[in-house]
Amino acid sequence: MRLSDSKILHELTALCVELLPGKSLSTLTSLGIGGTTDLLRITKHESIPAILDLLDRHKIPHRFLGGGSNLLVGDGELSWVVLQLVKPEPDVVLEGNLAHVDAAADLGRTVTFCAKHNLGGMEGLIGVPGTIGGALRMNAGAYGTQIGSYVQEVKVYRASRRRIEILRGDQISFEYRHTSFAPDDMMLAVTLNLPAKPYTEIIRGIRICNEKRRASQPMGQKSAGCIFKNPPGASVGRMIDELGLKGLSIGDARVSDRHANFFVNVGRASAGEMLALIAEVRARVEKSYGLRLENEVVVWSA
Ligand code: EPU
């Protein structure tokens, strides 16, 4: 979608929005898949209610993009614009055991920054790609750690109320890869309450998680992490592997040879190919195990 009305463009500039016209989302998602649209980069949290009001008044559909690491975007010209927060400097401010983190901060860098200041707890999240905001929205987790456990409060733009609110951690429910945030809530910042730990101890934990991840997950390939959520007590990766589906491909979309719940883009996969592969694997798992798999990857149709 292209914005061309000069009055709208002028108003967006006045609201400190940087417009990147015709951006390909394939460059903004870890899968390397996605069509083109205008990208609106937000430099000031305070201007968000006015930006959303402007888009609503002009009936311009929009989506909020975090780090793009758990996202499958449709092909071609997209029928909505994308909003993304610009990371401020600094993006993490420490105050005792509290880390005040901007939603646009990189999750892994935040974990190591806190480690250097002897704040731990999040070692398991070290190799999880994406932003703090994205991790928060889906309660990202790995190796026994989930980000929700450390949330003291969240600054969020609530589209339903058209205002920025501060929510306490106990007002949010954090479950396995799911939170009580509304789909149109926009994460702006979070305060994490982290346990004090010596740096050397945290680094030991980080190394162990990195080794486990390197041994079992595809590294350096274009993926969105696990495609499906695990049903309680089971591993979808193991099921897909048991069905002999590692390496199954549709075009350039392929079930990883290393971890069967990772689907990788080995070249120029389209969203159509990746969706077809997801549908095929879902159907085969349902046929053999009687289980209907739920997507972990978020799909934005064109
Ligand atoms: N397994 C196989 N074949 C495979 C993959 C796994 O046999 O192709 C077996 C493993 O050998 C192991 C068991 O399945 O015995 C579980 O595998 P793993 O430890 O990799 O855990 P997982 O359930 O497949 C979950 C998360 C990952 C997270 C890891 C480590 C989900 C959907 N996946 O994977 O999270 O990194 O545990 O904590 O919850 C993600 O959410 O995107 C993600 C990668």
Side-chain angles (χ1 to χ4, degrees), residues 69-70 124 128-129 138 140-145 176-177 212-213 216-217 224-231 234-242 246 255-262 296-297:
S69 60
N70 189 43
V128 176
M138 65 171 294
Y143 305 113
T145 306
Y176 165 68
R177 303 295 193 269
K212 282 192 201 162
R213 194 178 288 280
S216 65
Q217 298 182 1
C226 284
I227 286 287
F228 300 109
K229 291 184 184 180
N230 281 339
S235 162
V236 172
R238 176 180 288 160
M239 288 182 218
I240 301 173
D241 193 357
E242 280 172 2
K246 278 183 169 169
V255 177
S256 162
D257 298 303
R258 184 160 264 250
H259 192 299
N261 197 7
F262 280 66
E296 176 174 311
V297 69

mmCIF file of all heavy atoms in Angstrom, residues 69-70 124 128-129 138 140-145 176-177 212-213 216-217 224-231 234-242 246 255-262 296-297, ligand 1:
data_model
loop_
_atom_site.group_PDB
_atom_site.id
_atom_site.type_symbol
_atom_site.label_atom_id
_atom_site.label_comp_id
_atom_site.label_asym_id
_atom_site.label_seq_id
_atom_site.Cartn_x
_atom_site.Cartn_y
_atom_site.Cartn_z
ATOM 1 N N SER A 69 10.695 -11.824 13.566
ATOM 2 C CA SER A 69 11.356 -13.124 13.649
ATOM 3 C C SER A 69 10.384 -14.290 13.863
ATOM 4 O O SER A 69 10.819 -15.439 13.956
ATOM 5 C CB SER A 69 12.396 -13.116 14.779
ATOM 6 O OG SER A 69 11.761 -12.835 15.992
ATOM 7 N N ASN A 70 9.091 -13.981 13.946
ATOM 8 C CA ASN A 70 8.110 -15.057 14.152
ATOM 9 C C ASN A 70 6.930 -14.829 13.204
ATOM 10 O O ASN A 70 5.782 -15.064 13.564
ATOM 11 C CB ASN A 70 7.641 -15.024 15.626
ATOM 12 C CG ASN A 70 6.810 -16.221 15.995
ATOM 13 O OD1 ASN A 70 7.136 -17.348 15.621
ATOM 14 N ND2 ASN A 70 5.717 -15.996 16.698
ATOM 15 N N GLY A 124 18.197 -18.503 29.266
ATOM 16 C CA GLY A 124 17.585 -19.407 28.290
ATOM 17 C C GLY A 124 17.151 -18.698 27.014
ATOM 18 O O GLY A 124 17.007 -19.314 25.966
ATOM 19 N N VAL A 128 17.205 -16.559 21.234
ATOM 20 C CA VAL A 128 15.887 -16.304 20.629
ATOM 21 C C VAL A 128 15.964 -14.990 19.861
ATOM 22 O O VAL A 128 16.255 -13.945 20.457
ATOM 23 C CB VAL A 128 14.777 -16.226 21.709
ATOM 24 C CG1 VAL A 128 13.433 -15.874 21.084
ATOM 25 C CG2 VAL A 128 14.695 -17.530 22.475
ATOM 26 N N PRO A 129 15.740 -15.000 18.544
ATOM 27 C CA PRO A 129 15.853 -13.762 17.785
ATOM 28 C C PRO A 129 14.648 -12.853 18.006
ATOM 29 O O PRO A 129 13.592 -13.316 18.447
ATOM 30 C CB PRO A 129 15.893 -14.242 16.323
ATOM 31 C CG PRO A 129 15.195 -15.548 16.341
ATOM 32 C CD PRO A 129 15.351 -16.135 17.713
ATOM 33 N N MET A 138 4.329 -12.496 22.793
ATOM 34 C CA MET A 138 4.038 -13.928 22.668
ATOM 35 C C MET A 138 4.587 -14.728 23.847
ATOM 36 O O MET A 138 4.534 -15.946 23.849
ATOM 37 C CB MET A 138 4.591 -14.488 21.358
ATOM 38 C CG MET A 138 6.096 -14.459 21.266
ATOM 39 S SD MET A 138 6.721 -15.351 19.840
ATOM 40 C CE MET A 138 6.270 -17.006 20.204
ATOM 41 N N ALA A 140 7.784 -15.201 24.758
ATOM 42 C CA ALA A 140 8.824 -16.065 24.190
ATOM 43 C C ALA A 140 9.518 -16.843 25.305
ATOM 44 O O ALA A 140 9.674 -16.350 26.427
ATOM 45 C CB ALA A 140 9.842 -15.213 23.425
ATOM 46 N N GLY A 141 9.920 -18.057 24.967
ATOM 47 C CA GLY A 141 10.584 -18.891 25.961
ATOM 48 C C GLY A 141 11.521 -19.892 25.325
ATOM 49 O O GLY A 141 11.416 -20.186 24.139
ATOM 50 N N ALA A 142 12.443 -20.378 26.135
ATOM 51 C CA ALA A 142 13.322 -21.472 25.719
ATOM 52 C C ALA A 142 14.071 -21.960 26.948
ATOM 53 O O ALA A 142 14.339 -21.177 27.870
ATOM 54 C CB ALA A 142 14.323 -21.018 24.655
ATOM 55 N N TYR A 143 14.378 -23.236 26.958
ATOM 56 C CA TYR A 143 15.173 -23.869 28.015
ATOM 57 C C TYR A 143 14.675 -23.488 29.418
ATOM 58 O O TYR A 143 15.444 -23.072 30.294
ATOM 59 C CB TYR A 143 16.666 -23.559 27.817
ATOM 60 C CG TYR A 143 17.100 -23.969 26.436
ATOM 61 C CD1 TYR A 143 17.483 -23.037 25.470
ATOM 62 C CD2 TYR A 143 17.044 -25.304 26.066
ATOM 63 C CE1 TYR A 143 17.804 -23.434 24.183
ATOM 64 C CE2 TYR A 143 17.364 -25.714 24.782
ATOM 65 C CZ TYR A 143 17.730 -24.774 23.846
ATOM 66 O OH TYR A 143 18.035 -25.174 22.578
ATOM 67 N N GLY A 144 13.360 -23.577 29.579
ATOM 68 C CA GLY A 144 12.781 -23.403 30.910
ATOM 69 C C GLY A 144 12.566 -21.958 31.321
ATOM 70 O O GLY A 144 12.090 -21.690 32.427
ATOM 71 N N THR A 145 12.921 -21.005 30.470
ATOM 72 C CA THR A 145 12.740 -19.589 30.809
ATOM 73 C C THR A 145 11.672 -18.979 29.922
ATOM 74 O O THR A 145 11.674 -19.209 28.716
ATOM 75 C CB THR A 145 14.055 -18.809 30.535
ATOM 76 O OG1 THR A 145 15.110 -19.436 31.216
ATOM 77 C CG2 THR A 145 13.932 -17.365 30.984
ATOM 78 N N TYR A 176 1.981 -20.333 27.966
ATOM 79 C CA TYR A 176 2.907 -20.866 26.975
ATOM 80 C C TYR A 176 2.658 -20.200 25.613
ATOM 81 O O TYR A 176 1.577 -20.362 25.036
ATOM 82 C CB TYR A 176 2.732 -22.396 26.878
ATOM 83 C CG TYR A 176 3.365 -23.009 25.649
ATOM 84 C CD1 TYR A 176 4.743 -23.034 25.481
ATOM 85 C CD2 TYR A 176 2.579 -23.554 24.648
ATOM 86 C CE1 TYR A 176 5.314 -23.572 24.353
ATOM 87 C CE2 TYR A 176 3.134 -24.107 23.518
ATOM 88 C CZ TYR A 176 4.510 -24.102 23.374
ATOM 89 O OH TYR A 176 5.081 -24.628 22.248
ATOM 90 N N ARG A 177 3.616 -19.417 25.147
ATOM 91 C CA ARG A 177 3.562 -18.712 23.848
ATOM 92 C C ARG A 177 2.248 -17.945 23.661
ATOM 93 O O ARG A 177 1.718 -17.855 22.551
ATOM 94 C CB ARG A 177 3.731 -19.691 22.678
ATOM 95 C CG ARG A 177 4.984 -20.525 22.697
ATOM 96 C CD ARG A 177 6.243 -19.688 22.540
ATOM 97 N NE ARG A 177 7.395 -20.536 22.258
ATOM 98 C CZ ARG A 177 8.203 -21.048 23.172
ATOM 99 N NH1 ARG A 177 7.994 -20.802 24.455
ATOM 100 N NH2 ARG A 177 9.229 -21.799 22.815
ATOM 101 N N LYS A 212 23.307 -26.057 23.452
ATOM 102 C CA LYS A 212 22.106 -26.893 23.211
ATOM 103 C C LYS A 212 21.427 -26.449 21.927
ATOM 104 O O LYS A 212 21.002 -27.252 21.114
ATOM 105 C CB LYS A 212 21.109 -26.729 24.368
ATOM 106 C CG LYS A 212 21.465 -27.509 25.603
ATOM 107 C CD LYS A 212 20.258 -27.486 26.533
ATOM 108 C CE LYS A 212 20.651 -27.779 27.947
ATOM 109 N NZ LYS A 212 19.668 -27.379 28.929
ATOM 110 N N ARG A 213 21.321 -25.133 21.751
ATOM 111 C CA ARG A 213 20.630 -24.610 20.570
ATOM 112 C C ARG A 213 21.404 -24.968 19.297
ATOM 113 O O ARG A 213 20.822 -25.433 18.317
ATOM 114 C CB ARG A 213 20.491 -23.091 20.703
ATOM 115 C CG ARG A 213 19.524 -22.465 19.729
ATOM 116 C CD ARG A 213 19.409 -20.990 19.972
ATOM 117 N NE ARG A 213 18.694 -20.669 21.187
ATOM 118 C CZ ARG A 213 17.371 -20.677 21.299
ATOM 119 N NH1 ARG A 213 16.628 -20.998 20.278
ATOM 120 N NH2 ARG A 213 16.808 -20.362 22.439
ATOM 121 N N SER A 216 20.855 -28.527 18.168
ATOM 122 C CA SER A 216 19.532 -29.048 17.789
ATOM 123 C C SER A 216 18.752 -28.179 16.813
ATOM 124 O O SER A 216 17.764 -28.630 16.254
ATOM 125 C CB SER A 216 18.683 -29.259 19.050
ATOM 126 O OG SER A 216 18.442 -28.016 19.666
ATOM 127 N N GLN A 217 19.175 -26.935 16.613
ATOM 128 C CA GLN A 217 18.362 -26.049 15.763
ATOM 129 C C GLN A 217 19.192 -25.525 14.592
ATOM 130 O O GLN A 217 20.406 -25.379 14.712
ATOM 131 C CB GLN A 217 17.828 -24.876 16.595
ATOM 132 C CG GLN A 217 16.918 -25.338 17.731
ATOM 133 C CD GLN A 217 16.336 -24.186 18.543
ATOM 134 O OE1 GLN A 217 16.587 -23.022 18.268
ATOM 135 N NE2 GLN A 217 15.560 -24.526 19.558
ATOM 136 N N ALA A 224 11.605 -18.913 10.975
ATOM 137 C CA ALA A 224 10.829 -18.127 11.947
ATOM 138 C C ALA A 224 10.799 -18.874 13.281
ATOM 139 O O ALA A 224 9.825 -18.787 14.023
ATOM 140 C CB ALA A 224 9.424 -17.879 11.427
ATOM 141 N N GLY A 225 11.858 -19.619 13.575
ATOM 142 C CA GLY A 225 11.831 -20.456 14.782
ATOM 143 C C GLY A 225 10.849 -21.591 14.553
ATOM 144 O O GLY A 225 10.618 -22.012 13.416
ATOM 145 N N CYS A 226 10.259 -22.088 15.633
ATOM 146 C CA CYS A 226 9.304 -23.192 15.476
ATOM 147 C C CYS A 226 8.034 -22.688 14.794
ATOM 148 O O CYS A 226 7.521 -21.622 15.120
ATOM 149 C CB CYS A 226 8.969 -23.800 16.842
ATOM 150 S SG CYS A 226 10.300 -24.840 17.464
ATOM 151 N N ILE A 227 7.544 -23.476 13.846
ATOM 152 C CA ILE A 227 6.342 -23.092 13.084
ATOM 153 C C ILE A 227 5.079 -23.362 13.897
ATOM 154 O O ILE A 227 4.145 -22.567 13.896
ATOM 155 C CB ILE A 227 6.314 -23.876 11.745
ATOM 156 C CG1 ILE A 227 7.359 -23.293 10.784
ATOM 157 C CG2 ILE A 227 4.920 -23.884 11.128
ATOM 158 C CD1 ILE A 227 7.023 -21.931 10.185
ATOM 159 N N PHE A 228 5.045 -24.514 14.599
ATOM 160 C CA PHE A 228 3.843 -24.895 15.345
ATOM 161 C C PHE A 228 4.111 -24.828 16.842
ATOM 162 O O PHE A 228 5.232 -25.064 17.300
ATOM 163 C CB PHE A 228 3.437 -26.331 15.002
ATOM 164 C CG PHE A 228 3.136 -26.558 13.539
ATOM 165 C CD1 PHE A 228 3.996 -27.303 12.741
ATOM 166 C CD2 PHE A 228 1.992 -26.031 12.966
ATOM 167 C CE1 PHE A 228 3.722 -27.526 11.397
ATOM 168 C CE2 PHE A 228 1.702 -26.247 11.620
ATOM 169 C CZ PHE A 228 2.572 -26.996 10.828
ATOM 170 N N LYS A 229 3.060 -24.575 17.618
ATOM 171 C CA LYS A 229 3.171 -24.678 19.078
ATOM 172 C C LYS A 229 3.210 -26.152 19.449
ATOM 173 O O LYS A 229 2.599 -26.975 18.755
ATOM 174 C CB LYS A 229 1.948 -24.039 19.745
ATOM 175 C CG LYS A 229 1.900 -22.534 19.601
ATOM 176 C CD LYS A 229 0.718 -21.969 20.383
ATOM 177 C CE LYS A 229 0.614 -20.472 20.152
ATOM 178 N NZ LYS A 229 -0.495 -19.855 20.875
ATOM 179 N N ASN A 230 3.860 -26.462 20.540
ATOM 180 C CA ASN A 230 3.824 -27.837 21.044
ATOM 181 C C ASN A 230 2.517 -28.086 21.782
ATOM 182 O O ASN A 230 2.130 -27.279 22.628
ATOM 183 C CB ASN A 230 4.966 -28.066 22.035
ATOM 184 C CG ASN A 230 6.301 -28.301 21.356
ATOM 185 O OD1 ASN A 230 6.359 -28.685 20.186
ATOM 186 N ND2 ASN A 230 7.383 -28.069 22.094
ATOM 187 N N PRO A 231 1.832 -29.203 21.511
ATOM 188 C CA PRO A 231 0.690 -29.554 22.369
ATOM 189 C C PRO A 231 1.236 -29.944 23.755
ATOM 190 O O PRO A 231 2.410 -30.310 23.868
ATOM 191 C CB PRO A 231 0.077 -30.782 21.677
ATOM 192 C CG PRO A 231 0.786 -30.923 20.375
ATOM 193 C CD PRO A 231 2.088 -30.201 20.475
ATOM 194 N N ALA A 234 4.163 -32.664 24.552
ATOM 195 C CA ALA A 234 4.686 -33.303 23.334
ATOM 196 C C ALA A 234 5.572 -32.331 22.561
ATOM 197 O O ALA A 234 5.505 -31.121 22.771
ATOM 198 C CB ALA A 234 3.524 -33.744 22.448
ATOM 199 N N SER A 235 6.427 -32.863 21.692
ATOM 200 C CA SER A 235 7.257 -32.030 20.828
ATOM 201 C C SER A 235 6.833 -32.259 19.380
ATOM 202 O O SER A 235 6.915 -33.373 18.862
ATOM 203 C CB SER A 235 8.742 -32.386 20.987
ATOM 204 O OG SER A 235 9.470 -31.886 19.885
ATOM 205 N N VAL A 236 6.356 -31.201 18.746
ATOM 206 C CA VAL A 236 5.945 -31.297 17.345
ATOM 207 C C VAL A 236 7.148 -31.657 16.467
ATOM 208 O O VAL A 236 7.028 -32.417 15.512
ATOM 209 C CB VAL A 236 5.306 -29.958 16.887
ATOM 210 C CG1 VAL A 236 5.056 -29.954 15.399
ATOM 211 C CG2 VAL A 236 4.009 -29.709 17.634
ATOM 212 N N GLY A 237 8.329 -31.120 16.833
ATOM 213 C CA GLY A 237 9.537 -31.435 16.066
ATOM 214 C C GLY A 237 9.756 -32.939 16.006
ATOM 215 O O GLY A 237 10.018 -33.509 14.941
ATOM 216 N N ARG A 238 9.600 -33.584 17.146
ATOM 217 C CA ARG A 238 9.803 -35.040 17.182
ATOM 218 C C ARG A 238 8.769 -35.753 16.306
ATOM 219 O O ARG A 238 9.095 -36.663 15.562
ATOM 220 C CB ARG A 238 9.737 -35.540 18.623
ATOM 221 C CG ARG A 238 9.850 -37.058 18.711
ATOM 222 C CD ARG A 238 9.775 -37.541 20.122
ATOM 223 N NE ARG A 238 10.989 -37.226 20.857
ATOM 224 C CZ ARG A 238 11.078 -37.184 22.178
ATOM 225 N NH1 ARG A 238 10.005 -37.396 22.913
ATOM 226 N NH2 ARG A 238 12.212 -36.922 22.766
ATOM 227 N N MET A 239 7.508 -35.301 16.393
ATOM 228 C CA MET A 239 6.437 -35.958 15.596
ATOM 229 C C MET A 239 6.716 -35.840 14.103
ATOM 230 O O MET A 239 6.615 -36.810 13.367
ATOM 231 C CB MET A 239 5.089 -35.277 15.873
ATOM 232 C CG MET A 239 4.513 -35.553 17.207
ATOM 233 S SD MET A 239 2.904 -34.702 17.262
ATOM 234 C CE MET A 239 2.934 -34.149 18.900
ATOM 235 N N ILE A 240 7.071 -34.620 13.663
ATOM 236 C CA ILE A 240 7.302 -34.413 12.216
ATOM 237 C C ILE A 240 8.506 -35.249 11.785
ATOM 238 O O ILE A 240 8.511 -35.866 10.712
ATOM 239 C CB ILE A 240 7.519 -32.905 11.906
ATOM 240 C CG1 ILE A 240 6.306 -32.085 12.337
ATOM 241 C CG2 ILE A 240 7.807 -32.691 10.418
ATOM 242 C CD1 ILE A 240 6.498 -30.554 12.231
ATOM 243 N N ASP A 241 9.507 -35.303 12.656
ATOM 244 C CA ASP A 241 10.705 -36.106 12.381
ATOM 245 C C ASP A 241 10.332 -37.591 12.262
ATOM 246 O O ASP A 241 10.719 -38.274 11.307
ATOM 247 C CB ASP A 241 11.696 -35.867 13.544
ATOM 248 C CG ASP A 241 13.094 -36.371 13.240
ATOM 249 O OD1 ASP A 241 13.296 -36.965 12.165
ATOM 250 O OD2 ASP A 241 13.977 -36.178 14.092
ATOM 251 N N GLU A 242 9.510 -38.081 13.208
ATOM 252 C CA GLU A 242 9.105 -39.499 13.190
ATOM 253 C C GLU A 242 8.345 -39.853 11.910
ATOM 254 O O GLU A 242 8.382 -40.998 11.462
ATOM 255 C CB GLU A 242 8.223 -39.817 14.408
ATOM 256 C CG GLU A 242 9.041 -40.039 15.674
ATOM 257 C CD GLU A 242 8.170 -40.152 16.935
ATOM 258 O OE1 GLU A 242 6.931 -40.094 16.846
ATOM 259 O OE2 GLU A 242 8.764 -40.302 18.014
ATOM 260 N N LYS A 246 11.560 -34.560 7.505
ATOM 261 C CA LYS A 246 12.690 -33.627 7.387
ATOM 262 C C LYS A 246 13.102 -33.560 5.926
ATOM 263 O O LYS A 246 13.186 -34.603 5.258
ATOM 264 C CB LYS A 246 13.868 -34.109 8.226
ATOM 265 C CG LYS A 246 13.744 -33.728 9.690
ATOM 266 C CD LYS A 246 14.969 -34.153 10.476
ATOM 267 C CE LYS A 246 14.953 -33.530 11.856
ATOM 268 N NZ LYS A 246 15.973 -34.113 12.744
ATOM 269 N N VAL A 255 11.299 -28.259 5.179
ATOM 270 C CA VAL A 255 11.352 -28.672 6.589
ATOM 271 C C VAL A 255 12.829 -28.886 6.921
ATOM 272 O O VAL A 255 13.529 -29.630 6.223
ATOM 273 C CB VAL A 255 10.555 -29.977 6.826
ATOM 274 C CG1 VAL A 255 10.684 -30.424 8.277
ATOM 275 C CG2 VAL A 255 9.084 -29.792 6.446
ATOM 276 N N SER A 256 13.311 -28.203 7.964
ATOM 277 C CA SER A 256 14.734 -28.261 8.295
ATOM 278 C C SER A 256 15.203 -29.700 8.505
ATOM 279 O O SER A 256 14.497 -30.522 9.076
ATOM 280 C CB SER A 256 14.985 -27.445 9.566
ATOM 281 O OG SER A 256 16.214 -27.783 10.142
ATOM 282 N N ASP A 257 16.425 -29.983 8.053
ATOM 283 C CA ASP A 257 17.023 -31.311 8.273
ATOM 284 C C ASP A 257 17.484 -31.459 9.717
ATOM 285 O O ASP A 257 17.774 -32.549 10.180
ATOM 286 C CB ASP A 257 18.236 -31.486 7.354
ATOM 287 C CG ASP A 257 17.822 -31.419 5.892
ATOM 288 O OD1 ASP A 257 16.967 -32.229 5.493
ATOM 289 O OD2 ASP A 257 18.317 -30.523 5.173
ATOM 290 N N ARG A 258 17.591 -30.323 10.414
ATOM 291 C CA ARG A 258 18.157 -30.354 11.758
ATOM 292 C C ARG A 258 17.064 -30.426 12.831
ATOM 293 O O ARG A 258 17.170 -31.201 13.780
ATOM 294 C CB ARG A 258 18.970 -29.072 11.926
ATOM 295 C CG ARG A 258 19.702 -28.950 13.189
ATOM 296 C CD ARG A 258 20.773 -27.940 13.007
ATOM 297 N NE ARG A 258 22.012 -28.614 12.691
ATOM 298 C CZ ARG A 258 23.031 -28.658 13.540
ATOM 299 N NH1 ARG A 258 22.945 -28.069 14.712
ATOM 300 N NH2 ARG A 258 24.126 -29.283 13.221
ATOM 301 N N HIS A 259 16.032 -29.604 12.694
ATOM 302 C CA HIS A 259 14.929 -29.602 13.662
ATOM 303 C C HIS A 259 13.637 -29.502 12.864
ATOM 304 O O HIS A 259 13.404 -28.505 12.164
ATOM 305 C CB HIS A 259 15.058 -28.418 14.624
ATOM 306 C CG HIS A 259 14.145 -28.497 15.818
ATOM 307 N ND1 HIS A 259 12.771 -28.519 15.700
ATOM 308 C CD2 HIS A 259 14.405 -28.579 17.147
ATOM 309 C CE1 HIS A 259 12.225 -28.602 16.909
ATOM 310 N NE2 HIS A 259 13.202 -28.636 17.812
ATOM 311 N N ALA A 260 12.791 -30.520 12.975
ATOM 312 C CA ALA A 260 11.664 -30.650 12.047
ATOM 313 C C ALA A 260 10.532 -29.647 12.282
ATOM 314 O O ALA A 260 9.646 -29.533 11.444
ATOM 315 C CB ALA A 260 11.121 -32.079 12.120
ATOM 316 N N ASN A 261 10.572 -28.907 13.397
ATOM 317 C CA ASN A 261 9.549 -27.868 13.595
ATOM 318 C C ASN A 261 10.051 -26.505 13.101
ATOM 319 O O ASN A 261 9.401 -25.496 13.267
ATOM 320 C CB ASN A 261 9.129 -27.797 15.067
ATOM 321 C CG ASN A 261 7.804 -27.055 15.271
ATOM 322 O OD1 ASN A 261 7.125 -26.703 14.303
ATOM 323 N ND2 ASN A 261 7.451 -26.816 16.513
ATOM 324 N N PHE A 262 11.235 -26.483 12.498
ATOM 325 C CA PHE A 262 11.725 -25.263 11.844
ATOM 326 C C PHE A 262 11.549 -25.466 10.341
ATOM 327 O O PHE A 262 12.011 -26.484 9.812
ATOM 328 C CB PHE A 262 13.226 -25.049 12.108
ATOM 329 C CG PHE A 262 13.558 -24.449 13.444
ATOM 330 C CD1 PHE A 262 13.304 -25.135 14.618
ATOM 331 C CD2 PHE A 262 14.151 -23.197 13.528
ATOM 332 C CE1 PHE A 262 13.627 -24.588 15.863
ATOM 333 C CE2 PHE A 262 14.480 -22.637 14.758
ATOM 334 C CZ PHE A 262 14.222 -23.330 15.920
ATOM 335 N N GLU A 296 2.516 -21.429 15.662
ATOM 336 C CA GLU A 296 3.209 -20.476 16.530
ATOM 337 C C GLU A 296 3.572 -19.255 15.675
ATOM 338 O O GLU A 296 3.498 -18.118 16.125
ATOM 339 C CB GLU A 296 4.478 -21.095 17.125
ATOM 340 C CG GLU A 296 5.242 -20.073 17.955
ATOM 341 C CD GLU A 296 6.437 -20.630 18.696
ATOM 342 O OE1 GLU A 296 6.303 -21.671 19.367
ATOM 343 O OE2 GLU A 296 7.517 -20.013 18.592
ATOM 344 N N VAL A 297 3.938 -19.520 14.422
ATOM 345 C CA VAL A 297 4.273 -18.419 13.518
ATOM 346 C C VAL A 297 3.010 -17.597 13.258
ATOM 347 O O VAL A 297 1.911 -18.140 13.154
ATOM 348 C CB VAL A 297 4.878 -18.965 12.207
ATOM 349 C CG1 VAL A 297 3.860 -19.710 11.357
ATOM 350 C CG2 VAL A 297 5.505 -17.849 11.371
HETATM 351 N N1 EPU B 1 13.311 -33.880 18.369
HETATM 352 C C1 EPU B 1 13.445 -34.807 17.379
HETATM 353 N N2 EPU B 1 13.534 -34.367 16.093
HETATM 354 C C2 EPU B 1 13.496 -33.060 15.758
HETATM 355 C C3 EPU B 1 13.339 -32.111 16.780
HETATM 356 C C4 EPU B 1 13.251 -32.549 18.092
HETATM 357 O O1 EPU B 1 13.485 -35.998 17.634
HETATM 358 O O2 EPU B 1 13.569 -32.759 14.568
HETATM 359 C C5 EPU B 1 13.275 -34.352 19.771
HETATM 360 C C6 EPU B 1 14.546 -33.917 20.498
HETATM 361 O O3 EPU B 1 15.589 -34.827 20.296
HETATM 362 C C7 EPU B 1 14.076 -33.861 21.932
HETATM 363 C C8 EPU B 1 12.613 -33.463 21.814
HETATM 364 O O4 EPU B 1 12.229 -33.728 20.468
HETATM 365 O O5 EPU B 1 14.154 -35.131 22.522
HETATM 366 C C9 EPU B 1 12.380 -31.997 22.146
HETATM 367 O O6 EPU B 1 13.168 -31.191 21.260
HETATM 368 P P1 EPU B 1 13.687 -29.741 21.676
HETATM 369 O O7 EPU B 1 14.450 -29.801 22.952
HETATM 370 O O8 EPU B 1 14.349 -29.144 20.477
HETATM 371 O O9 EPU B 1 12.374 -28.974 22.052
HETATM 372 P P2 EPU B 1 11.130 -28.612 21.195
HETATM 373 O O10 EPU B 1 9.930 -29.007 21.990
HETATM 374 O O11 EPU B 1 11.179 -29.131 19.807
HETATM 375 C C10 EPU B 1 10.899 -26.239 22.273
HETATM 376 C C11 EPU B 1 10.509 -24.875 21.769
HETATM 377 C C12 EPU B 1 11.700 -24.150 21.194
HETATM 378 C C13 EPU B 1 12.783 -24.040 22.247
HETATM 379 C C14 EPU B 1 13.177 -25.449 22.698
HETATM 380 C C15 EPU B 1 14.185 -25.426 23.828
HETATM 381 C C16 EPU B 1 8.222 -24.826 21.001
HETATM 382 C C17 EPU B 1 7.281 -24.973 19.838
HETATM 383 N N3 EPU B 1 9.516 -25.010 20.730
HETATM 384 O O12 EPU B 1 11.262 -27.009 21.120
HETATM 385 O O13 EPU B 1 11.260 -22.824 20.896
HETATM 386 O O14 EPU B 1 13.919 -23.372 21.724
HETATM 387 O O15 EPU B 1 11.984 -26.127 23.195
HETATM 388 O O16 EPU B 1 13.575 -24.949 24.988
HETATM 389 O O17 EPU B 1 7.771 -24.547 22.102
HETATM 390 C C18 EPU B 1 10.292 -21.458 19.238
HETATM 391 O O18 EPU B 1 9.358 -21.292 20.022
HETATM 392 O O19 EPU B 1 10.312 -20.888 18.116
HETATM 393 C C19 EPU B 1 11.371 -22.347 19.607
HETATM 394 C C20 EPU B 1 12.367 -22.634 18.788
#
